C-alpha cells in the first residue's frame, strides 16, 4: 500500500490510503500508536506504529477473538468493534470500544505488541458506542464518555458521561447526558467522542453531521459533566475532502499538535488524513488550514523516518499468513493448517453457504487499497469434487474468480458475482477449462473502484492473462469499505450430508502493485516500490 510521504519533507493526504476506520492515536515517548474499527473480523483492534505520523506499519492486533464468541461465529459487518479509543496510563496501554449489541469493552497491556488482556465488559447494554476514557491527572479521578447508536437504542445525537473506577473495570454511576446536540442548532448525529484535559478545560473532540457530509466539532467545559460550549473546527470548505471528521489529537515530544481523522470514500472505506492543529487566541483548536483540510503539507517536525506503509503483499512463508489478513468471523480450528513450504494451504470447508461468500466465515480478508492497483495470486486446487477457491472483492455486492472441480474430476476457471440484494451468486463469464488445476488470478482496480478480472491458465491453449466478464464496480458494506478475499470452500456432499472438507487449495505469491508496472514482472518488495512495508508475520 502507498504512503503519503513524498520524500521531500512534505506529505500528501491520505497518509493511510485504505479503510482504517474511526482512527484514534496515542504517543508514548517517541512512538505513536493508532488503532481503528475492525467490526466483526478477527483478529480485531489493529495496532499501527509510526514515529513521524506519516509513515505507518501494522504491528499486530489487540483482540485475537471477538466475544461473546458465539455471536461472531458467522460474519457480522454491522457489529463487533466500533470506534475504539487507545490511551496510555499507569504504564499500560488501554483500548476501549463499543459493541452496539453487547456494550462497552476494554483490553489492556504493558506491551503494545503482545500480551493483551482478555476482553472485559465494562458496561453491558444495547447501543453503547464510541467510548473514550480519561484519567484526570489534576484530580486523580477517572471518567468515560460514550455515544449512542440509534439502530440499537432508539436514540443518538447525545453523549453520556460516567465516573469510572481507576482500574478501568467498571463505571461508578448510571451516567449523565453531558451533551445533547438536539439543543445545538444545526447539529445532528453527534458521535465518536474523544476526551482530553487541556489548559484547565475538559475537551471532547467529536464529529457530527454524518459520515459523508459532516464536520469535526470541539466542545469544552470546566466540569466534566458540563455544560459544554461547542465550535466547528474542521469542515470540507472548498476542498474535495468530504466529511472530514472522527479521529484523535496527539502532541509530539516537541510540542506540535496534530489531528488524525477519516474521510469516507465509499468502496475504499474510511481513509486516514493528518491535519496540523493550532490554538487560537480564545483557546480553541484550529485544524488544517484555517478549519479546512490540507491536501499537501510539511511533515511534522520529527526525525526523518524510512518511507513505509502497512504490508499488503504476502508470500505466505512457512504456510503462515501476514498481519494484514483477518478472518470474516472468529476462526475455527482446521481452517488453515500449516504447511512445511511457502504457500497458504486453505481447507475447502464444506458448508451450506458456498453460494454466497458474504455468509462464509472462513474467508481471509484484507483492505482494498484506495488507489489503482493490480492484485494477483497463484492458486492450485486439490482433486476432490466440489472444491472451489478463489480471489474475491467483497462488499454488499461481490465478485470472485477462481477454480472449481466438478464431479467428474475436471477443473474449470469460474468467475461469479452477486448483486447487493441477491441471495445467490451467478456466472459473470462462461467457465473454461483449467486442465492442470492451476491458475494465476488477477484483479485490476481503477477509478471509482472498478475491477477488471482476468486469469492465466497453464495448458489451456491461451497465452498470458485473458480478461473475464464485464467490469465489476466494488461496493462498500454498510459501515466498511470493500475487502479483498481469499477463500476455499465446498458444498455439503449430497451423498453424506456431512460437514468436513473437500481437500485444500494452495495460494502462493499474493501481490498488490501499481498498474504502471505489471505485477508479474516484479520479484521483490524492494524492486516493486521505494515504499517499505513491514514484515507481515503474526
Amino acid at each position: 500500500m502507498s504512503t503519503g510521504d513524498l520524500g521531500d519533507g512534505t506529505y500528501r493526504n491520505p497518509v493511510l490510503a485504505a479503510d482504517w476506520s474511526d482512527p484514534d492515536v496515542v504517543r508514548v515517548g517517541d512512538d505513536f500508536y493508532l488503532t481503528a474499527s475492525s467490526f466483526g473480523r478477527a483478529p480485531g483492534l489493529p495496532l499501527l506504529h509510526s514515529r513521524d505520523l506519516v509513515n505507518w506499519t501494522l504491528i499486530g492486533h489487540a483482540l485475537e477473538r471477538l466475544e461473546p464468541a458465539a455471536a461472531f461465529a458467522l460474519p457480522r459487518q454491522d457489529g463487533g468493534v466500533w470506534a475504539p479509543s487507545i490511551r496510555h496510563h499507569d504504564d499500560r496501554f488501554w483500548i476501549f470500544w463499543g459493541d452496539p449489541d453487547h456494550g462497552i469493552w476494554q483490553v489492556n497491556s504493558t506491551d503494545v505488541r503482545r500480551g493483551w488482556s482478555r476482553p472485559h465488559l465494562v458496561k453491558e447494554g444495547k447501543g453503547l458506542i464510541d467510548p473514550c476514557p480519561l484519567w484526570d491527572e489534576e484530580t486523580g479521578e477517572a471518567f468515560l464518555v460514550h455515544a449512542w447508536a440509534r439502530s440499537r437504542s432508539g436514540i443518538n445525537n447525545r453523549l453520556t458521561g460516567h465516573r469510572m473506577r481507576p482500574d478501568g473495570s467498571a463505571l461508578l454511576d448510571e451516567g449523565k447526558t453531558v451533551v445533547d446536540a438536539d439543543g445545538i442548532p444545526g447539529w445532528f448525529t453527534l458521535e465518536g467522542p474523544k476526551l482530553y484535559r487541556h489548559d484547565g478545560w475538559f475537551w471532547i473532540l467529536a464529529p457530527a453531521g454524518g459520515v459523508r457530509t459532516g464536520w469535526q466539532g470541539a466542545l469544552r467545559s470546566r466540569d466534566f459533566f458540563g455544560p459544554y460550549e461547542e465550535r466547528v473546527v474542521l469542515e470540507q470548505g472548498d476542498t474535495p475532502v468530504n466529511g472530514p471528521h472522527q479521529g484523535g489529537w496527539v502532541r509530539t515530544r516537541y510540542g506540535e499538535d496534530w489531528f488524525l481523522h477519516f474521510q469516507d470514500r465509499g468502496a475504499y472505506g474510511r481513509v486516514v488524513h493528518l491535519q496540523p492543529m493550532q490554538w487560537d487566541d480564545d483557546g480553541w483548536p484550529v485544524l488544517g488550514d484555517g478549519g479546512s483540510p490540507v491536501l499537501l503539507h510539511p511533515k511534522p517536525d520529527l526525525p526523518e523516518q524510512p518511507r513505509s506503509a502497512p504490508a499488503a503483499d504476502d508470500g505466505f512463508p512457512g504456510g503462515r499468513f501476514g498481519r494484514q489478513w483477518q478472518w470474516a468471523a472468529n476462526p475455527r480450528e482446521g481452517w488453515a493448517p500449516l504447511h512445511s513450504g511457502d504457500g497458504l494451504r486453505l481447507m475447502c470447508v464444506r458448508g451450506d453457504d458456498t453460494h454466497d461468500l458474504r455468509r462464509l466465515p472462513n474467508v481471509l480478508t484484507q483492505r482494498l487499497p484506495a488507489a489503482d492497483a493490480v492484485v494477483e495470486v497463484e492458486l492450485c486446487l486439490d482433486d476432490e469434487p466440489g472444491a472451489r477457491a478463489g480471489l474475491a472483492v467483497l462488499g454488499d455486492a461481490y465478485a470472485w474468480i477462481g477454480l472449481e472441480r466438478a464431479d467428474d474430476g475436471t477443473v474449470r476457471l469460474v468467475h461469479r458475482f452477486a448483486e447487493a440484494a441477491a441471495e445467490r451468486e451467478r456466472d459473470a463469464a462462461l467457465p473454461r477449462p483449467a486442465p492442470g488445476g492451476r491458475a494465476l488470478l488477477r484483479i485490476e482496480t481503477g477509478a471509482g473502484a472498478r475491477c477488471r478480472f482476468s486469469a492465466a491458465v497453464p495448458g489451456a491453449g491461451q497465452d498470458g492473462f485473458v480478461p473475464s466478464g464485464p467490469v465489476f464496480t466494488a461496493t462498500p458494506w454498510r459501515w466498511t469499505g470493500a475487502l479483498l478475499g481469499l477463500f476455499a470452500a465446498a458444498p455439503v456432499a449430497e451423498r453424506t450430508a456431512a460437514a468436513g472438507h473437500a481437500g485444500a487449495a494452495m495460494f502462493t505469491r499474493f501481490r498488490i502493485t501499481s498498474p504502471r508496472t505489471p505485477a508479474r514482472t516484479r520479484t521483490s518488495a524492494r524492486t516493486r516500490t521505494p515504499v517499505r512495508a513491514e514484515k507481515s508475520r503474526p
Side-chain angles (χ1 to χ4, degrees):
M1 302 224 180
S2 62
T3 172
D5 191 341
L6 297 180
D8 60 359
T10 65
Y11 71 91
R12 182 192 305 276
N13 275 316
V15 292
L16 285 167
D19 188 21
W20 303 96
S21 177
D22 312 315
D24 192 31
V25 62
V26 68
R27 178 181 66 86
V28 180
D30 293 324
D31 299 288
F32 300 94
Y33 299 98
L34 180 147
T35 190
S37 295
S38 51
F39 301 95
R41 304 192 299 276
L45 290 174
L47 297 164
L48 288 83
H49 170 259
S50 177
R51 288 201 162 191
D52 64 2
L53 293 171
V54 174
N55 293 284
W56 292 89
T57 56
L58 178 63
I59 60 173
H61 292 80
L63 183 64
E64 196 63 30
R65 298 171 62 87
L66 290 93
E67 294 191 15
F72 299 97
L74 296 175
R76 285 290 312 277
Q77 293 295 336
D78 64 340
V81 176
W82 283 26
S85 295
I86 184 168
R87 294 292 182 265
H88 191 259
H89 166 73
D90 194 25
D91 295 324
R92 283 186 172 272
F93 291 90
W94 303 79
I95 300 180
F96 285 69
W97 74 94
D99 177 326
D101 299 302
H102 300 101
I104 294 171
W105 298 81
Q106 62 99 333
V107 292
N108 61 86
S109 176
T110 57
D111 186 339
V112 73
R113 296 175 185 265
R114 62 177 64 87
W116 288 84
S117 66
R118 182 171 177 173
H120 174 74
L121 187 60
V122 178
K123 181 180 181 181
E124 185 177 5
K126 292 275 190 179
L128 309 177
I129 59 170
D130 309 348
C132 184
L134 172 69
W135 286 270
D136 184 4
E137 295 181 358
E138 295 184 22
T139 65
E141 292 184 285
F143 302 96
L144 183 137
V145 65
H146 69 82
W148 294 86
R150 182 184 292 275
S151 59
R152 271 59 164 200
S153 64
I155 59 173
N156 73 343
N157 206 32
R158 70 185 64 174
L159 305 179
T160 297
H162 298 263
R163 285 188 168 88
M164 183 177 71
R165 287 186 57 171
D167 64 3
S169 63
L171 304 180
L172 298 176
D173 53 40
E174 293 302 312
K176 175 184 176 182
T177 298
V178 295
V179 180
D180 184 350
D182 287 346
I184 304 176
W187 283 46
F188 59 96
T189 319
L190 178 65
E191 57 187 356
K194 296 295 182 284
L195 182 59
Y196 308 92
R197 196 82 153 100
H198 172 65
D199 196 27
W201 297 88
F202 288 92
W203 289 90
I204 298 175
L205 301 184
V211 168
R212 297 187 178 182
T213 58
W215 58 87
Q216 178 65 37
L219 305 102
R220 70 181 184 183
S221 173
R222 294 293 185 184
D223 184 89
F224 170 68
F225 289 102
Y228 282 82
E229 51 184 321
E230 80 287 336
R231 182 172 294 187
V232 175
V233 293
L234 184 70
E235 54 188 337
Q236 179 171 355
D238 295 329
T239 77
V241 183
N242 61 293
H245 69 307
Q246 186 147 333
W249 162 37
V250 68
R251 174 167 287 176
T252 73
R253 180 187 289 276
Y254 307 105
E256 286 186 344
D257 292 309
W258 296 85
F259 185 75
L260 285 150
H261 68 92
F262 76 69
Q263 172 201 12
D264 186 281
R265 291 189 56 191
Y268 298 120
R270 299 174 181 182
V271 301
V272 179
H273 291 238
L274 176 67
Q275 302 298 335
M277 178 172 169
Q278 297 177 331
W279 301 86
D280 69 14
D281 293 340
D282 295 325
W284 286 90
V286 179
L287 304 185
D289 181 8
S292 294
V294 299
L295 300 179
L296 292 168
H297 196 272
K299 291 168 56 180
D301 185 14
L302 292 167
E304 191 68 23
Q305 300 296 318
R307 300 179 69 215
S308 60
D313 294 357
D314 205 340
F316 308 115
R320 300 177 184 270
F321 53 83
R323 300 182 184 100
Q324 66 269 35
W325 296 101
Q326 296 171 288
W327 292 107
N330 277 337
R332 303 174 198 171
E333 187 176 354
W335 280 1
L338 300 182
H339 188 263
S340 57
D342 293 349
L344 180 66
R345 186 176 173 84
L346 292 182
M347 304 309 296
C348 296
V349 179
R350 292 193 183 275
D352 294 323
D353 294 322
T354 55
H355 59 279
D356 190 340
L357 296 188
R358 295 163 296 196
R359 297 164 62 180
L360 280 187
N362 55 309
V363 179
L364 273 178
T365 68
Q366 69 163 285
R367 294 159 179 83
L368 182 73
D372 294 355
V374 178
V375 183
E376 285 187 4
V377 70
E378 189 171 350
L379 171 63
C380 178
L381 188 64
D382 275 1
D383 58 359
E384 189 161 340
R388 64 189 67 174
L391 170 66
V393 176
L394 294 161
D396 282 340
Y398 75 86
W400 67 276
I401 190 168
L403 299 176
E404 180 178 64
R405 190 171 292 275
D407 290 340
D408 62 4
T410 60
V411 181
R412 305 177 302 171
L413 179 79
V414 295
H415 178 194
R416 297 193 174 116
F417 78 103
E419 301 163 89
E423 296 183 358
R424 301 186 67 90
E425 63 188 23
R426 54 196 180 96
D427 286 333
L430 292 176
R432 51 193 175 97
R438 292 178 176 272
L440 186 59
L441 311 174
R442 175 184 285 182
I443 301 173
E444 298 172 79
T445 68
R450 291 188 292 271
C451 304
R452 167 67 74 181
F453 289 73
S454 60
V457 181
Q462 295 173 315
D463 294 330
F465 282 89
V466 177
S468 179
V471 170
F472 171 78
T473 300
T475 64
W477 307 86
R478 183 177 182 186
W479 304 119
T480 76
L483 298 166
L484 297 171
L486 301 178
F487 78 96
V492 172
E494 294 183 3
R495 61 183 181 276
T496 63
H501 59 81
M506 178 71 81
F507 293 91
T508 54
R509 298 191 302 118
F510 183 91
R511 298 288 182 264
I512 299 180
T513 56
S514 166
R516 290 183 294 275
T517 306
R520 64 181 181 275
T521 67
R522 311 294 189 94
T523 58
S524 72
R526 289 193 178 274
T527 58
R528 275 197 307 277
T529 170
V531 177
R532 187 185 68 182
E534 83 281 11
K535 294 180 180 179
S536 58
R537 301 278 57 81

